[in-house]
Amino acid sequence: MPLCPKCRSLYVYADRGLLVCPECAHEWSASAEAALQQADPVITDANGNPLADGDTVTVIKDLKVKGSSLVVKVGTRVKNIRLVDGDHDIDCKIDGIGAMKLKSEFVKKT
């Protein structure tokens, strides 16, 4: 089952062609949900702004680099990002570190 679009609850259930959230009482059409899942997903930053290839973003949280002692500090500007599919949806190069994959939830568009 998909998450509730209003409160992001996990406890959604189907009832006569509608999807219902028991926590916030939001109801929506199951066919509309299927249409939304088929459309191209829009990747957004931490503030909800849509991202595009070539954008410049700023890191909003200290991020440890897996497999090394390096850290990407808060406020690091990353230029010319590329959006990809997957859990880490941004490919980029960071000065002093090199090629990295970032999650869009840890950046904001500048």
Side-chain angles (χ1 to χ4, degrees):
M1 285 289 172
L3 297 177
C4 174
K6 193 171 186 181
C7 71
R8 309 301 292 170
S9 171
L10 297 171
Y11 305 110
V12 173
Y13 63 91
D15 183 29
R16 298 183 197 165
L18 291 177
L19 296 174
V20 180
C21 176
E23 292 185 359
C24 69
H26 181 67
E27 297 179 354
W28 68 101
S29 171
S31 61
E33 181 70 28
L36 286 175
Q37 288 179 352
Q38 291 176 355
D40 290 333
V42 175
I43 297 174
T44 58
D45 68 358
N47 296 329
N49 299 321
L51 296 173
D53 287 341
D55 281 347
T56 299
V57 295
T58 304
V59 177
I60 63 168
K61 178 181 175 185
D62 282 345
L63 302 172
K64 295 180 183 178
V65 178
K66 198 172 199 175
S68 74
S69 61
L70 298 173
V71 175
V72 178
K73 297 286 187 178
V74 171
T76 302
R77 291 178 56 101
V78 182
K79 299 177 184 176
N80 199 18
I81 65 170
R82 188 177 56 178
L83 302 178
V84 295
D85 291 333
D87 186 31
H88 292 73
D89 43 15
I90 297 175
D91 273 347
C92 61
K93 287 185 182 176
I94 299 177
D95 294 336
I97 296 176
M100 281 195 68
K101 291 185 176 230
L102 298 173
K103 289 186 177 185
S104 59
E105 62 196 54
F106 298 124
V107 299
K108 68 177 182 177
K109 190 173 183 177
T110 55

